[in-house]
Amino acid sequence: MVEARDLSPGQQLVECFKPFLRHLLGSDLSAKTLRKHRDNMWLLGGEIISDLHESPRLRKRPMAQVVFAALDDEGGPLISNRASEEQQRSFDSTCRKFHSFLEDHGGGG
């Protein structure tokens, strides 16, 4: 269910994600791998929106900072919907790649 208060942060997330997704499109990855990363980015966005609900003070921070804080060189947040180990590993792989991209491109806010 979409809440009106999530629309602006959601749009900001998309803007944060676009450069990385374009970077992936420009790489030599298979269509299956691109879909995996796209789906994992969608999942990351959902996890961040959930974090905004749990910690409303995050809404006052720039979205790029919120995104960067959710990532590290080991991966991303734990998936909240009881993901399998394989799903979490895939998600963490995408998050590590995104974290590295942000570090390399000054996107850490």
Side-chain angles (χ1 to χ4, degrees):
M1 179 169 175
V2 176
E3 292 186 28
R5 67 182 176 153
D6 295 335
L7 292 177
S8 178
Q11 290 169 338
Q12 292 172 45
L13 284 169
V14 169
E15 292 306 312
C16 289
F17 293 174
K18 274 183 187 180
F20 175 64
L21 293 169
R22 286 185 179 126
H23 167 76
L24 292 177
L25 284 173
S27 61
D28 195 24
L29 298 173
S30 71
K32 181 180 177 182
T33 300
L34 289 170
R35 281 191 302 274
K36 175 194 80 156
H37 287 308
R38 179 208 58 205
D39 292 348
N40 286 332
M41 293 301 290
W42 177 266
L43 183 56
L44 176 61
E47 293 298 325
I48 291 172
I49 293 292
S50 293
D51 289 347
L52 296 178
H53 285 268
E54 292 174 19
S55 302
R57 71 187 190 295
L58 291 176
R59 291 181 185 271
K60 295 180 170 125
R61 293 178 60 197
M63 190 54 63
Q65 287 180 3
V66 174
V67 169
F68 194 72
L71 308 170
D72 61 34
D73 57 359
E74 293 185 19
L78 287 177
I79 301 171
S80 60
N81 66 351
R82 296 186 178 148
S84 69
E85 284 185 41
E86 181 181 336
Q87 289 170 316
Q88 186 69 50
R89 274 194 306 272
S90 173
F91 178 67
D92 285 337
S93 171
T94 299
C95 289
R96 281 190 301 273
K97 189 178 278 291
F98 186 35
H99 182 262
S100 177
F101 175 84
L102 291 174
E103 284 187 324
D104 292 347
H105 294 87

